[in-house]
């Protein structure tokens, strides 16, 4: 049935869309093609993906690398029936211009002909029970299927994903991720692992010792920000074990990427240098940057050093770094990432100066690789738009020859820059979905935007779009969003999302369940269609508890609410925004609709017993609903305090605390929501007790305080990387809320001012103790998720 659904419900691929080739990148594409592994290597790599995904069907498929000429000069995959000559021979032939295209074709066939589903293990994993036995695979129509990429690239990762998601991975986990990339059609991934080992070798040639680098590199969980020059030394130092271990891992990652025909994007020099360089080169133009989110500008980790791109030493170091990477990895790419100006504006807005700086940055890359192309995150054009006005933006983008820079329109799913920048003033760009901040766990999406935005950008007048991309800060959540976004790399028309979701639901759970289909229709119109333009970062009160004094505000009452009418499909609904100092969680949908979706999801549960994908989605949806309820309860508790009603304060605060406990029990019922997994993966990489203690502190600190504190001030980044994980709710978020409410109650009992500073002192000490702790947390689920979710629904919502 699904193979027929595919032909009718999604898109027609036979209708060509007039596209002008982007001549600027044609020479680059040809060079990258010449670097690819031989066809036999790529075909073997694709078979490796199949063997790990579906070992029972290894003999059912034949894979073949074909020339781009077969697809009119583009990248493509083709799926055809095999002319069977024996009972046990191949049934389906999948051809592609690279192994990534073959893997993408395999995934497409398994989805739309066999009803299978692939997601990250931590979001429920794969569903292949629906795939027929070998010898019985569904056939295609005689002409088969050919799908071309409408744009050359499918980019993947953010420069901070390496810290929020990949930091504790070994090769076993990385191998799964590279397989996932190939199946999703990713052909342009960042490859940032292990670069500190390269830097150690480079800086040694500039007379900087390993000891000099101890306060330069950040700790494992904070390397992304040390690389960007936001901080230094925090969570460090890095041991030689770590450096060597990560370099070995990077070589494994790059080797597999190359075997699959991917183009890895390597790092380059952005100007961030160790303090020791100022003494070795006293006349170099090195400035100390200002504070980035510390509480006291502590020089141990604040205020890094930046070498001016106009200094000849900049080009020397940049060239040395590129050449050292080529020596270690081979000639694997011509594309290098550099974000010198990310959250770090140039000292003057003079366009001529900015142009000179840009040219100098590029020179530092191109001296190491004469064919180099600079890949730059376009985040600065959004986050610092007051500085990057059209003259400054154009000066930077035109500071290198056309075709030598590619820009990531990083936040195009919500705040597209291409629309307001004359398509980046002629510079090739990649339409990216940002979606996630800090690796937070929050059901959220902009499905209408990602199902149409890339198509609108590509067919717009004078389009310079050359790819699509996924640039989330953290992964392993919201699998529906990433599956649809991945498909946009192969879709030349907009997707009818509601119809696509019906197919998605059937594939994800392996069968059609009408209550679940109805639930997904509600989720599409609510959670997964945010259109308010607000960047989603989970500020729910449980995980980002407000650090404020509610007694400084007058009572929150109805006449203090401002009412916003937001478009919502063919409906409009109310959003109440309190006009007070109280932090506001993001809410873009009517909560009662999503409670109805949960009711339907639960009703379909008896038909999906044993489905890990259903269990993950059920736990996540129940968590989402309860968390939003907790936000409302928190407001009632604070209002009770402001009204000096101690009985109501006790009632609502106790309900808030009980919700934390209940959500912890819920999350404990699925293996993918456990803090123990995160902590154990960190400790597993350690080779001695000292490293074990350091890595665990890094892991605990990143998901809680994040950065430095003092006795009376929480980190400015506290809870930025908050997580809804069982274990951390009970041991960290619960005591925090409990102590806060205790102080509120004491204030009312004694008729005294709320002692915010006293609470902060107490909480910071508690947090420090948790960060330095080593208590063990479960790594295996316990409890019946469906029974727990049903009981919680009845407890809080049944009326």
């Amino acid at each position: 049935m699904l193979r027929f659904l595919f032909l009718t419900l999604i898109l027609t691929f036979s209708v060509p869309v007039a596209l002008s080739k982007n001549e600027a990148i044609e020479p680059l594409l040809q060079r990258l093609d010449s670097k690819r592994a031989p066809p036999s290597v790529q075909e073997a790599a694709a078979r490796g993906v199949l063997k790990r995904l579906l070992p029972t069907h290894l003999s059912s498929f034949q894979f073949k690398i074909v020339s781009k000429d077969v697809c009119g000069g583009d990248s493509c995959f083709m799926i055809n029936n095999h002319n069977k000559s024996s009972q046990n021979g191949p049934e389906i032939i999948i051809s592609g211009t690279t192994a990534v295209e073959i893997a993408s074709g395999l995934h497409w066939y398994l989805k739309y002909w066999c009803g299978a589903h692939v997601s990250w293990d931590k979001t429920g994993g794969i569903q292949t029970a629906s795939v027929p036995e070998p010898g019985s695979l569904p056939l295609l129509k005689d002409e088969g299927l050919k799908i071309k990429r409408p744009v050359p690239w499918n980019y993947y990762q953010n420069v901070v994903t390496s810290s929020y998601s990949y930091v504790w991975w070994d090769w076993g986990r990385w191998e799964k991720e590279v397989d996932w990339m190939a199946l999703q059609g990713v052909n342009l991934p960042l490859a940032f692992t292990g670069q500190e080992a390269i830097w150690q070798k480079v800086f040694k040639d500039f007379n900087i010792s390993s000891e000099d680098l101890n306060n330069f590199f950040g700790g494992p969980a904070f390397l992304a920000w040390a690389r960007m020059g936001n901080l230094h030394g925090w969570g460090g130092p890095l041991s030689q074990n770590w450096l060597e271990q990560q370099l070995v891992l990077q070589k494994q990652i790059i080797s597999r990427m190359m075997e699959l025909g991917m183009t890895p994007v390597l790092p380059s020099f952005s100007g961030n240098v160790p303090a020791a360089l100022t003494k070795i080169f006293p006349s170099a133009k090195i400035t100390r940057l200002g504070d980035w989110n510390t509480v006291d500008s502590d020089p141990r980790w604040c205020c890094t050093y930046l070498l001016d791109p106009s200094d000849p030493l900049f080009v020397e170091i940049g060239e040395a770094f590129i050449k050292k990477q080529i020596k270690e990895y081979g000639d694997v790419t011509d594309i290098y990432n550099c974000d010198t100006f990310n959250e770090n504006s140039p000292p003057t807005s003079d366009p001529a100066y900015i142009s000179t700086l840009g040219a100098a940055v590029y020179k530092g890359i191109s001296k190491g690789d004469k064919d180099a192309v600079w890949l730059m995150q376009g985040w600065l054009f959004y986050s610092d738009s007051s500085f990057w006005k059209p003259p400054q933006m154009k000066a930077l983008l035109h500071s290198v020859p056309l075709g030598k820079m590619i820009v990531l329109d990083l936040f195009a799913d919500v705040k597209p820059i291409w629309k307001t920048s004359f398509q980046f003033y002629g510079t090739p760009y990649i339409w990216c979905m940002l979606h996630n901040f800090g690796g937070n766990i929050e059901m959220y999406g902009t499905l209408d935007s990602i199902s149409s935005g890339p198509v609108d950008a590509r067919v717009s007048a004078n389009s310079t779009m050359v790819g699509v991309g996924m640039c989330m800060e953290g992964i392993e959540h919201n699998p529906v969003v990433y599956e649809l976004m991945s498909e946009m790399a192969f879709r030349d028309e907009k997707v009818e999302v509601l119809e696509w979701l019906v197919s998605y639901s059937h594939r994800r759970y392996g069968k059609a369940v009408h209550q679940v289909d109805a639930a997904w229709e509600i989720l599409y119109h609510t959670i997964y269609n945010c259109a308010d333009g607000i960047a989603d970062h989970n500020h729910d009160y449980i995980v980002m508890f407000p650090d404020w004094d509610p007694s400084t505000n007058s009572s929150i009452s109805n006449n203090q609410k401002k009412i916003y009418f937001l478009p919502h499909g063919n409906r409009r609904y109310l959003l109440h925004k309190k006009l007070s100092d109280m932090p506001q969680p993001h809410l873009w949908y009517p909560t009662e609709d999503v409670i109805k979706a949960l009711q339907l999801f639960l009703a379909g549960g008896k038909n999906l017993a044993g489905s890990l994908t259903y269990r993950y989605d059920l736990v996540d949806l129940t968590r989402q609903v309860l968390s939003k309820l907790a936000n409302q309860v928190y407001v009632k508790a604070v209002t009770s305090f402001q009204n000096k009603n101690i009985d109501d304060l006790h009632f609502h605060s106790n309900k808030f605390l009980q919700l934390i406990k209940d959500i912890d029990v819920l999350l404990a019922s699925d293996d993918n929501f456990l803090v123990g997994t995160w902590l154990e993966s960190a400790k597993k990489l350690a080779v001695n007790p000292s490293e074990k203690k350091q890595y665990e502190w890094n892991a605990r600190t990143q998901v809680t305080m994040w950065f430095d504190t003092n006795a009376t001030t929480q980190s400015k980044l506290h809870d930025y990387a908050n997580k809804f994980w069982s274990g951390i709710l009970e041991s960290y978020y619960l005591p925090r809320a409990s102590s806060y409410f205790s102080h509120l109650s004491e204030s009312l009992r004694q008729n005294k001012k709320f002692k915010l500073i006293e609470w902060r002192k107490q909480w910071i000490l508690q947090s420090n103790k948790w960060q330095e702790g080593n208590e063990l947390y479960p790594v295996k689920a316990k409890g019946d998720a469906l029974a727990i979710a049903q009981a919680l629904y009845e407890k809080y919502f049944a009326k």
Side-chain angles (χ1 to χ4, degrees):
M1 178 62 188
L2 277 163
R3 61 184 183 274
F4 299 115
L5 264 177
F6 164 68
L7 297 173
T8 58
L9 76 84
I10 318 258
L11 288 171
T12 304
F13 284 89
S14 59
V15 181
V17 176
L19 272 181
S20 58
K21 292 279 187 183
N22 193 317
E23 295 177 10
I25 63 165
E26 279 304 312
L28 170 63
L29 292 172
Q30 291 172 16
R31 284 197 310 275
L32 295 176
D33 285 344
S34 72
K35 296 178 191 287
R36 301 204 197 286
S40 60
V41 173
Q42 292 193 58
E43 288 164 4
R47 289 190 69 76
V49 174
L50 172 60
K51 185 177 181 180
R52 289 182 290 276
L53 176 68
L54 203 62
T56 52
H57 289 66
L58 199 54
S59 62
S60 300
F61 295 91
Q62 180 179 321
F63 294 156
K64 186 178 180 184
I65 294 289
V66 295
S67 165
K68 281 185 174 180
D69 294 339
V70 176
C71 301
D74 296 314
S75 297
C76 73
F77 63 77
M78 295 175 289
I79 310 173
N80 296 95
N81 302 323
H82 192 278
N83 295 321
K84 293 187 68 172
S85 56
S86 69
Q87 183 64 33
N88 300 320
E91 301 167 72
I92 301 295
I93 304 173
I94 301 178
S95 309
T97 44
T98 72
V100 169
E101 271 69 35
I102 290 175
S104 301
L106 171 66
H107 189 199
W108 205 273
Y109 174 79
L110 291 175
K111 282 203 288 191
Y112 290 116
W113 270 261
C114 303
H117 173 75
V118 175
S119 72
W120 292 294
D121 284 355
K122 282 194 68 121
T123 56
I126 62 172
Q127 186 288 111
T128 54
S130 60
V131 180
E133 292 292 315
S136 304
L137 290 182
L139 299 179
L140 288 79
K141 290 186 177 179
D142 290 343
E143 65 273 18
L145 178 74
K146 179 192 286 186
I147 296 184
K148 294 184 182 182
R149 288 186 187 268
V151 282
W153 286 310
N154 186 4
Y155 174 82
Y156 184 56
Q157 296 178 41
N158 185 299
V159 294
V160 302
T161 320
S162 56
S163 290
Y164 283 133
S165 295
Y166 308 152
V167 54
W168 311 120
W169 286 6
D170 58 13
W171 169 241
R173 178 60 187 87
W174 261 111
E175 183 174 53
K176 287 185 176 183
E177 189 69 7
V178 179
D179 283 357
W180 183 90
M181 291 183 207
L183 291 162
Q184 307 296 342
V186 171
N187 60 1
L188 191 66
L190 276 187
F192 267 30
T193 303
Q195 61 181 278
E196 283 69 29
I198 305 290
W199 277 120
Q200 184 186 52
K201 296 177 182 185
V202 169
F203 283 131
K204 185 177 180 182
D205 293 340
F206 288 85
N207 299 315
I208 292 175
S209 68
S210 297
E211 290 71 29
D212 290 331
L213 296 174
N214 281 346
N215 73 343
F216 176 61
F217 297 140
F222 302 97
L223 284 176
W225 300 276
R227 292 166 181 169
M228 289 189 286
N230 300 133
L231 53 81
H232 63 94
W234 179 250
L238 295 179
S239 69
Q240 196 62 36
N241 292 327
W242 173 273
L243 295 171
E244 293 170 2
Q245 181 188 65
Q246 293 294 298
L247 183 58
V248 169
L249 184 57
Q250 169 77 333
K251 289 178 178 179
Q252 290 175 296
I253 294 166
I254 288 178
S255 176
R256 182 58 55 80
M257 287 176 173
M258 294 299 292
E259 289 169 8
L260 286 163
M262 297 176 184
T263 297
V265 177
L266 293 177
S268 61
F269 180 52
S270 63
N272 182 31
V273 294
L277 203 73
T278 60
K279 297 174 183 174
I280 298 169
F281 297 94
S283 61
K285 294 182 193 171
I286 299 175
T287 56
R288 191 154 198 187
L289 297 178
D291 176 62
W292 184 84
N293 287 312
T294 69
V295 293
D296 289 323
S297 300
D298 192 318
R300 288 176 294 172
W301 37 77
C302 166
C303 314
T304 56
Y305 291 89
L306 186 73
L307 175 61
D308 193 304
S310 65
D311 193 296
L313 185 60
F314 186 101
V315 176
E316 277 187 61
I317 295 175
E319 177 185 3
F321 182 59
I322 298 294
K323 287 184 173 177
K324 195 73 77 174
Q325 290 186 100
I326 293 172
K327 182 180 178 182
E328 291 284 345
Y329 312 138
D331 184 13
V332 297
T333 191
D334 286 329
I335 304 182
Y336 301 88
N337 170 260
C338 185
D339 293 306
T340 296
F341 310 112
N342 187 50
E343 299 187 17
N344 171 34
S345 299
T348 171
S349 61
D350 176 21
Y353 178 78
I354 290 171
S355 182
T356 302
L357 278 187
V361 170
Y362 178 68
K363 187 177 180 183
I365 303 172
S366 61
K367 285 276 283 186
D369 178 349
K370 65 180 176 57
D371 295 320
V373 171
W374 175 5
L375 180 83
M376 181 179 71
Q377 289 193 143
W379 179 249
L380 69 170
F381 302 133
Y382 165 73
S383 66
D384 197 7
S385 57
S386 60
F387 178 90
W388 294 101
K389 293 184 169 64
Q392 291 74 28
M393 192 174 173
K394 190 174 182 180
L396 179 59
L397 296 173
H398 287 185
S399 65
V400 302
L402 183 63
K404 294 297 184 180
M405 178 186 281
I406 300 167
V407 181
L408 301 177
D409 196 354
L410 205 73
F411 203 16
D413 51 327
V414 176
K415 300 285 185 183
I417 302 296
W418 69 267
K419 289 184 177 180
T420 57
S421 63
F422 301 99
Q423 305 266 349
F424 290 94
Y425 302 100
T427 303
Y429 77 94
I430 294 175
W431 192 104
C432 294
M433 174 188 77
L434 180 51
H435 186 254
N436 175 269
F437 292 86
N440 297 159
I441 295 171
E442 167 92 304
M443 291 179 74
Y444 160 81
T446 57
L447 294 186
D448 277 353
S449 172
I450 63 178
S451 67
S452 60
V455 178
D456 289 338
R458 179 173 51 81
V459 302
S460 62
N462 303 311
S463 177
T464 57
M465 176 181 161
V466 294
V468 295
M470 296 178 283
C471 297
M472 61 286 120
E473 289 194 353
I475 63 166
E476 299 177 320
H477 51 79
N478 292 289
V480 64
V481 173
Y482 292 89
E483 179 155 339
L484 181 58
M485 187 63 227
S486 296
E487 285 196 9
M488 297 313 293
F490 294 101
R491 293 193 174 278
D492 58 4
E493 294 180 359
K494 298 178 183 181
V495 177
E496 292 295 331
V497 181
L498 194 52
E499 294 178 356
W500 182 89
L501 277 171
V502 172
S503 171
Y504 170 85
S505 171
H506 298 175
R507 296 192 311 268
R508 180 149 170 85
Y509 311 123
K511 63 172 72 170
V513 178
H514 71 90
Q515 297 102 323
V516 174
D517 288 348
W520 269 106
E521 181 171 357
I522 294 172
L523 295 179
Y524 165 55
H525 289 299
T526 53
I527 283 175
Y528 286 117
N529 236 331
C530 181
D532 60 14
I534 296 174
D536 189 68
H537 185 186
N538 197 331
H539 287 163
D540 286 353
Y541 294 133
I542 288 176
V543 291
M544 189 170 265
F545 199 77
D547 181 346
W548 73 307
D549 181 356
S551 60
T552 60
N553 273 79
S554 57
S555 175
I556 303 167
S557 58
N558 286 333
N559 61 8
Q560 288 181 279
K561 294 175 181 176
K562 187 171 181 179
I563 300 175
Y564 293 88
F565 287 88
L566 296 180
H568 183 66
N570 294 321
R571 299 186 286 146
R572 288 148 68 87
Y573 69 94
L574 301 178
L575 179 68
H576 298 284
K577 185 175 178 66
K578 313 290 190 305
L579 296 184
S580 75
D581 293 336
M582 185 170 67
Q584 295 293 315
H586 184 198
L587 183 63
W588 61 99
Y589 58 85
T591 55
E592 63 274 13
D593 287 7
V594 178
I595 293 168
K596 176 63 176 174
L598 174 59
Q599 183 185 25
L600 288 164
F601 218 79
L602 286 163
K606 62 180 181 295
N607 299 304
L608 295 170
S611 167
L612 297 181
T613 45
Y614 171 77
R615 186 180 76 176
Y616 173 87
D617 290 347
L618 173 65
V619 169
D620 203 23
L621 179 56
T622 309
R623 173 211 55 76
Q624 180 92 1
V625 167
L626 292 173
S627 180
K628 301 310 174 191
L629 173 63
N631 292 341
Q632 299 170 18
V633 174
Y634 173 87
V635 171
K636 290 177 181 177
V638 168
T639 304
S640 300
F641 169 79
Q642 292 174 335
N643 293 335
K644 301 190 185 307
N645 187 329
I646 194 166
D647 291 337
D648 281 2
L649 171 60
H650 286 165
F651 176 81
H652 295 303
S653 61
N654 285 334
K655 186 175 181 180
F656 185 87
L657 300 177
Q658 187 60 48
L659 275 161
I660 298 178
K661 295 174 185 175
D662 286 343
I663 296 172
D664 193 279
V665 171
L666 168 75
L667 297 174
S669 68
D670 187 282
D671 297 295
N672 305 302
F673 296 97
L674 306 176
V675 72
T677 308
W678 170 253
L679 299 179
E680 292 306 313
S681 64
K683 291 185 282 185
K684 189 178 175 184
L685 289 186
V687 297
N688 57 51
S690 174
E691 286 185 3
K692 186 176 180 181
K693 183 177 180 181
Q694 180 192 12
Y695 296 175
E696 183 164 10
W697 182 90
N698 268 255
R700 286 168 175 256
T701 296
Q702 188 205 84
V703 299
T704 53
M705 275 297 179
W706 206 109
F707 211 3
D708 64 341
T709 61
N710 62 28
T712 59
T713 310
Q714 292 199 72
S715 160
K716 292 181 181 178
L717 295 174
H718 73 86
D719 300 315
Y720 181 89
N722 65 66
K723 299 292 186 291
F724 267 105
W725 284 338
S726 177
I728 197 171
L729 267 78
E730 184 88 36
S731 66
Y732 190 85
Y733 299 140
L734 179 64
R736 175 171 64 182
S738 179
S739 65
Y740 183 85
F741 287 131
S742 292
H743 278 76
L744 288 185
S745 294
E746 192 66 18
S747 169
L748 290 186
R749 266 196 302 269
Q750 297 186 5
N751 196 26
K752 291 183 178 178
K753 183 175 170 53
F754 170 60
K755 297 178 179 177
L756 177 63
I757 300 302
E758 291 305 311
W759 171 74
R760 282 182 185 158
K761 285 180 182 177
Q762 178 186 335
W763 170 240
I764 290 165
L765 286 172
Q766 278 185 274
S767 180
N768 288 341
K769 184 178 179 182
W770 193 90
Q771 291 164 247
E772 292 164 5
N774 61 4
E775 68 279 9
L776 298 177
Y777 292 92
V779 293
K780 293 290 182 186
K782 63 178 181 181
D784 181 332
L786 179 56
I788 293 168
Q790 183 70 52
L792 291 174
Y793 174 83
E794 290 171 5
K795 178 177 180 178
Y796 289 105
F797 303 111
K799 295 178 182 176

